[in-house]
Amino acid sequence: QSLPVKTHYEKKGLAHVISAVPAPEEVFIEVEKVLDPLLGKADDGARAAAAPPAEPAPAPAAPAAADEAPAPAEAAPADLTVPPVPGELPADSTILFVLGGPGSGKGTQCDRIKVRYQGVVHLSAGDLLRAEVASGSAVGQACEALMKDGKLVPVSVTIQLLKNAMIQSGGSFFLIDGFPRALDQAEVFESGIAKPKLVLFFDCPEEEMEKRLLKRGETSGRSDDNADTIRKRFKTFIEQSLPVKTHYEKKGLAHVISAVPAPEEVFIEVEKVLDPLLGKADDGARAAAAPPAEPAPAPAAPAAADEAPAPAEAAPADLTVPPVPGELPADSTILFVLGGPGSGKGTQCDRIKVRYQGVVHLSAGDLLRAEVASGSAVGQACEALMKDGKLVPVSVTIQLLKNAMIQSGGSFFLIDGFPRALDQAEVFESGIAKPKLVLFFDCPEEEMEKRLLKRGETSGRSDDNADTIRKRFKTFIEQSLPVKT
């Protein structure tokens, strides 16, 4: 799928192939050689900013990690307000908070809960904030600026994003993942939305969480997956989040579960808590909540979390993303960033954003996940398609990208991990615009497999196993390489 994309743009003289095997900072030197003539050279300060510091800069509090909701700021900028969506939550709504330290396995257990119990709307405050940033909205840009400055996103923003997503989902049973992280967040949520029915707290010793996060850091490319920053995050967690656990224990709502055993053993304890509240499912549901002993065969590998889905041949008639008002600037510059799973696209995109001013970074995968996380009708339909092993229509991905580009107000766009197939490239070019150039990060299959398997030791992702990884490589070679040419 993806190698034909590479081939397509090579024929047009737009594809720049860069080896992704060296260390990220060495790869970025080659990226600069391509982009400087187009975007202009930055001074040494910008070049230094694009490189990670030798040691994490000291800060009064650890920055919010990608899988955690940010802690509240003491005061919000006057214009940092998330517009409410119309509607109300059902009076009989059931809300479950899922808490635990970084690396405790909250996300893995939430995934199992969604499969095991029907009608669960899973919302991650961190995902919703990332979705707002990915959308390029005024609020998203303001939040991104705050986080880059090491400042905290206001609790009012996080609460309103959650409330909007809950209303838009149309559901009444909500699993709130990684929130609240501090007592004031709990208080504002309860006064502004509702009180939780119960709280699951995944308890894991600090040394075990550190071991998991450091293991993940070997392949994640995340700046906060290093020993010093991890310990700062633990300190913040202990100071801010443990009081939340104590608060709900006093109310008799907190159920503390050890997160040290294997995920399937942890989930047995989760069931003991949730079955009385939600009702027991049959053995089929129980089996579905557990990963299969061997990956089920499929005609194509499912889209990974860091990849945009390939197009379906036909979209359901009602699966249409409403366009937002406005148009893209006539002088828009679009760069596609391509490469196989595990090639380090995301790491290089992060460096490009720091090195060059005015870059709007959009990931088709992030935007799709944001739509699913929002609980909208389109998001629910996409989630159902993916659960059935079906492909999300290319029209959905294209419209999500176009909406985000318009809403950003920018004119220089970095499109990450898209297009993955030739028809996606053709629809994008006819419906939006042609790219100015294409960066393709070239990495041998065995190196990408090694990185992904390493990540799989701690990621909990079902697609980080040898069989599924090889299927993803096969899909990538068949679809995306022709786009490059």
Side-chain angles (χ1 to χ4, degrees), residues 1-2 302-310 339-342 345 363-366 368-369 416-418 420 452 455 461 463 472 475-476 480:
Q1 289 186 341
S2 299
D306 56 351
E307 299 170 51
K345 300 184 298 292
S363 159
D366 282 351
L368 180 62
R369 278 191 298 277
D416 174 9
F418 184 92
R420 285 183 65 218
L452 293 172
R455 182 178 73 182
R461 280 174 48 166
D463 57 348
R472 288 165 61 194
T475 301
F476 171 72
S480 295

Side-chain angles (χ1 to χ4, degrees), residues 256-477:
V256 181
I257 295 173
S258 173
V260 176
E264 56 272 16
E265 295 176 45
V266 175
F267 191 66
I268 290 171
E269 301 305 312
V270 171
E271 289 180 307
K272 290 177 182 177
V273 174
L274 297 187
D275 276 354
L277 175 66
L278 307 175
K280 295 183 178 180
D282 58 23
D283 289 339
R286 188 180 303 273
E294 296 181 8
D306 56 351
E307 299 170 51
E313 293 182 7
D318 59 344
L319 193 48
T320 304
V321 178
V324 298
E327 296 292 336
L328 288 173
D331 61 345
S332 292
T333 298
I334 297 169
L335 274 63
F336 289 154
V337 181
L338 305 176
S343 61
K345 300 184 298 292
T347 300
Q348 295 304 315
C349 284
D350 288 342
R351 289 172 177 263
I352 290 170
K353 285 192 296 180
V354 175
R355 171 74 170 79
Y356 303 97
Q357 296 300 306
V359 176
V360 178
H361 175 209
L362 297 172
S363 159
D366 282 351
L367 290 169
L368 180 62
R369 278 191 298 277
E371 193 67 25
V372 171
S374 76
S376 69
V378 170
Q380 291 180 61
C382 290
E383 187 173 32
L385 283 173
M386 291 186 289
K387 280 184 177 177
D388 289 342
K390 297 177 182 175
L391 300 171
V392 173
V394 64
S395 59
V396 169
T397 309
I398 296 290
Q399 192 62 54
L400 288 173
L401 280 167
K402 188 172 184 178
N403 285 356
M405 293 167 78
I406 292 171
Q407 288 177 317
S408 74
S411 61
F412 174 24
F413 302 100
L414 192 66
I415 312 293
D416 174 9
F418 184 92
R420 285 183 65 218
L422 268 178
D423 56 351
Q424 289 184 340
E426 291 162 357
V427 175
F428 185 99
E429 290 189 17
S430 63
I432 301 182
K434 294 181 179 179
K436 188 81 171 180
L437 62 81
V438 178
L439 290 175
F440 187 93
F441 292 103
D442 193 29
C443 197
E445 189 172 317
E446 54 273 18
E447 173 64 21
M448 292 191 287
E449 180 174 339
K450 183 175 75 174
R451 294 177 184 180
L452 293 172
L453 287 174
K454 196 75 166 172
R455 182 178 73 182
E457 293 176 10
T458 56
S459 69
R461 280 174 48 166
S462 60
D463 57 348
D464 279 346
N465 64 75
D467 286 345
T468 307
I469 286 168
R470 289 178 189 127
K471 288 180 183 176
R472 288 165 61 194
F473 288 151
K474 183 174 184 291
T475 301
F476 171 72
I477 290 168

Side-chain angles (χ1 to χ4, degrees), residues 13-266:
L14 297 178
H16 297 263
V17 181
I18 295 173
S19 172
V21 176
E25 56 272 17
E26 296 175 45
V27 175
F28 191 66
I29 291 171
E30 301 306 312
V31 171
E32 288 181 307
K33 291 178 183 177
V34 175
L35 297 188
D36 277 354
L38 175 66
L39 307 175
K41 294 184 179 180
D43 58 24
D44 289 339
R47 188 181 304 275
E55 297 182 8
D67 55 352
E68 301 169 50
E74 293 181 8
D79 59 344
L80 192 48
T81 303
V82 178
V85 298
E88 297 291 336
L89 288 173
D92 61 347
S93 292
T94 298
I95 297 170
L96 275 62
F97 289 155
V98 182
L99 305 176
S104 61
K106 300 184 297 292
T108 299
Q109 295 304 316
C110 285
D111 287 341
R112 289 172 177 262
I113 290 169
K114 285 191 297 180
V115 175
R116 171 75 169 80
Y117 302 97
Q118 296 299 305
V120 176
V121 178
H122 176 209
L123 298 172
S124 158
D127 282 351
L128 290 170
L129 180 61
R130 277 191 297 277
E132 193 66 26
V133 170
S135 76
S137 70
V139 171
Q141 291 180 61
C143 289
E144 187 173 31
L146 283 173
M147 292 186 288
K148 280 184 177 177
D149 290 341
K151 297 176 182 175
L152 301 171
V153 174
V155 64
S156 59
V157 169
T158 309
I159 296 291
Q160 193 61 55
L161 288 173
L162 281 167
K163 188 172 184 178
N164 285 357
M166 293 167 77
I167 291 170
Q168 288 177 316
S169 73
S172 61
F173 175 25
F174 303 100
L175 193 65
I176 312 293
D177 174 7
F179 184 92
R181 285 183 65 216
L183 268 179
D184 57 350
Q185 289 185 340
E187 291 162 358
V188 175
F189 186 99
E190 290 190 17
S191 62
I193 301 181
K195 294 181 179 179
K197 189 79 171 181
L198 62 80
V199 178
L200 290 176
F201 186 93
F202 291 103
D203 192 30
C204 196
E206 188 173 316
E207 54 272 20
E208 174 64 21
M209 292 191 289
E210 180 174 340
K211 183 174 75 173
R212 294 177 183 180
L213 293 173
L214 288 174
K215 198 74 168 172
R216 182 178 74 182
E218 294 176 9
T219 56
S220 70
R222 280 174 49 166
S223 60
D224 56 348
D225 279 346
N226 64 76
D228 286 344
T229 307
I230 286 167
R231 288 178 191 129
K232 287 180 184 177
R233 288 166 62 194
F234 288 151
K235 184 174 183 290
T236 301
F237 171 73
I238 290 167
E239 291 173 354
Q240 291 193 349
S241 299
L242 285 188
V244 179
K245 171 194 168 196
T246 306
H247 171 74
Y248 285 115
E249 278 183 321
K250 288 178 180 176
K251 293 189 171 190
L253 297 178
H255 297 262
V256 181
I257 295 173
S258 173
V260 176
E264 56 272 16
E265 295 176 45
V266 175

